[in-house]
Amino acid sequence: MIEKYYRRIIDGVPTAVIVADQNLNAVFTNPAFRNLFLSGKVKGSLGEVTRCANNGMRCGGKDCRGCPLYNAFDDALCTNKTVNRRIYQKVRTDSVTRDVSYSLTVKPLGDGLCMGTIDDAYELEIAQELQTAKNIQQRLLPAGNWAGGKRYSYMYIPCRDIGGDLPDVFTVGNSACGMIADVSGKGISAGMLSAFVKAAYDKKEFSPAKAIANLNAKFAELNLDEKNYVTVAAVRIDGDSITYSTAGHNVPILLKTDSGITRIMLNSPPVSNWFENPSYFEDAIHYKKGDILVLLTDGVTECRNARGEMFGADGAIKTLSVSRTADEFIKNLEENLKNFCSDLNDDITAIAFDL
């Protein structure tokens, strides 16, 4: 009865608690501990209950030599003294492996048992929140391969867990529309701003220029400082023509035809609070069946290799020149960028349409 009472108390405390036996197996973890590590396990090896990425099912084996978590419990049992350690560990969050750290206090309880409590575990909580945000951002990406009767393919590779680029493809009437945006900054703040763009961009507006102007008006309502801005390129593909508009997007729209590749650009301000009542314009260009239309962000063109050389618009044009379809271009572009630069320092995004 008393044991159940104590168990109920420990289950109710907000501090993460783990009790291990003399064999260094967890014989109890409270809900706060299980919520922190997302393990769902009350008992098991130290690796299992913390979802250790280093062979947790065989915790304590040769792969665990030097493990600070294992050593903290082992030292507390051997010395019969309280041990305080900063633990650095690789854990699994869904299908992703992450580096986390936390402060662990291990106190001997007698009878071959010791209790560990965890403090300062913000890194774990942040890692879990980042994974949730990453999953949400993935849901913002285009879900299919067809829009308005046109087949498309796209690539989105964020340089961090959360990216600031946004590719979007949708249908207005009978026309296929594409929009690619690049927000200022990186990481969580950029991800939040890209989510705003996804929600605020008017997918019912037939005119790309008006859609961008409407986005700018909604952006102004956020009242952000001048460091925040968004560059946008938008297209509407009709029966034989492409209507396009840009907002501060200095990366060219590319159109591959039988006669070569056309670079399309328009000078216009980005979506920002820099100007009062900025004007956005649109223009049109004709295409033929079999052509390929490409939208890019500057993460593609400004990607640098170890020698400091940029991939450039020329790198994208060369890739497009040897690609027969939109899907083939996206695959070739991803391979060429990875061969060109092993360490990406910006989000990489591209959309390609088969016309």
Side-chain angles (χ1 to χ4, degrees):
M1 185 69 179
I2 295 177
E3 181 181 348
K4 291 182 179 179
Y5 179 72
Y6 286 145
R7 177 70 63 86
R8 193 179 306 163
I9 292 175
I10 296 175
D11 278 346
V13 300
T15 302
V17 177
I18 175 176
V19 178
D21 61 16
Q22 58 189 358
N23 296 316
L24 299 185
N25 288 317
V27 295
F28 169 76
T29 57
N30 72 342
F33 183 95
R34 298 193 293 274
N35 289 337
L36 192 59
F37 288 95
L38 302 177
S39 67
K41 290 184 175 293
V42 178
K43 300 179 180 181
S45 69
L46 295 178
E48 287 179 294
V49 297
T50 59
R51 300 193 71 183
C52 179
N54 187 23
N55 204 2
M57 296 297 291
R58 298 174 58 187
C59 182
K62 63 180 181 179
D63 293 332
C64 297
R65 292 172 183 168
C67 170
L69 175 64
Y70 190 90
N71 290 342
F73 279 92
D74 190 37
D75 290 347
L77 284 169
C78 291
T79 63
N80 199 34
K81 294 181 179 179
T82 299
V83 171
N84 296 290
R85 297 281 169 81
R86 187 69 181 176
I87 307 299
Y88 297 90
Q89 186 180 4
K90 290 185 179 293
V91 301
R92 297 189 307 276
T93 305
D94 292 334
S95 59
V96 178
T97 298
R98 298 188 178 279
D99 294 311
V100 299
S101 64
Y102 50 90
S103 296
L104 175 69
T105 300
V106 183
K107 183 176 182 179
L109 300 177
D111 297 325
L113 298 175
C114 54
M115 179 178 69
T117 57
I118 291 177
D119 297 311
D120 190 25
Y122 295 112
E123 291 88 345
L124 273 172
E125 295 176 3
I126 290 173
Q128 294 166 11
E129 292 298 324
L130 280 174
Q131 183 59 38
T132 300
K134 184 177 180 180
N135 292 340
I136 292 173
Q137 191 171 62
Q138 288 295 317
R139 295 176 182 272
L140 301 181
L141 301 177
N145 302 107
W146 291 85
K150 302 298 182 184
R151 186 174 180 84
Y152 70 88
S153 185
Y154 73 93
M155 172 179 63
Y156 171 69
I157 305 176
C159 68
R160 298 183 183 177
D161 289 326
I162 308 298
D165 282 2
L166 176 68
D168 205 1
V169 180
F170 50 95
T171 301
V172 177
N174 296 320
S175 303
C177 296
M179 184 272 290
I180 197 165
D182 185 358
V183 311
S184 56
K186 296 180 177 65
I188 296 175
S189 61
M192 293 179 67
L193 194 51
S194 67
F196 160 79
V197 174
K198 174 75 174 184
Y201 190 87
D202 189 355
K203 298 180 181 63
K204 296 181 180 180
E205 174 56 58
F206 192 68
S207 164
K210 288 183 179 179
I212 292 176
N214 293 341
L215 176 64
N216 188 79
K218 293 178 181 178
F219 182 89
E221 295 175 2
L222 297 178
N223 198 28
L224 299 177
D225 60 37
E226 294 185 352
K227 294 184 294 184
N228 295 281
Y229 62 90
V230 185
T231 68
V232 183
V235 298
R236 186 188 73 244
I237 305 171
D238 300 312
D240 62 354
S241 66
I242 301 164
T243 302
Y244 57 91
S245 182
T246 65
H249 205 77
N250 58 3
V251 182
I253 300 170
L254 304 179
L255 176 64
K256 181 183 179 181
T257 64
D258 289 338
S259 58
I261 296 176
T262 301
R263 298 169 54 135
I264 305 168
M265 295 187 71
L266 276 178
N267 292 323
S268 57
V271 172
S272 65
N273 291 324
W274 300 351
F275 308 98
E276 290 187 11
N277 302 318
S279 297
Y280 297 99
F281 306 96
E282 61 187 41
D283 205 345
I285 187 172
H286 288 280
Y287 73 87
K288 294 182 180 179
K289 184 177 178 59
D291 293 348
I292 301 174
L293 177 68
V294 170
L295 308 178
L296 307 164
T297 61
D298 61 9
V300 175
T301 56
E302 295 179 5
C303 180
R304 293 181 181 272
N305 61 16
R307 296 188 296 272
E309 301 167 332
M310 288 200 303
F311 189 76
D314 289 341
I317 290 172
K318 290 178 182 178
T319 303
L320 182 57
S321 66
V322 298
S323 301
R324 296 165 295 179
T325 66
D327 188 60
E328 185 175 310
F329 166 75
I330 293 297
K331 291 178 180 177
N332 289 343
L333 182 64
E334 182 173 358
E335 182 179 359
N336 290 346
L337 284 170
K338 288 182 177 179
N339 290 336
F340 183 80
C341 176
S342 58
D343 185 18
L344 300 178
N345 55 14
D346 199 357
D347 303 324
I348 303 293
T349 307
I351 308 173
F353 291 89
D354 286 317
L355 304 179

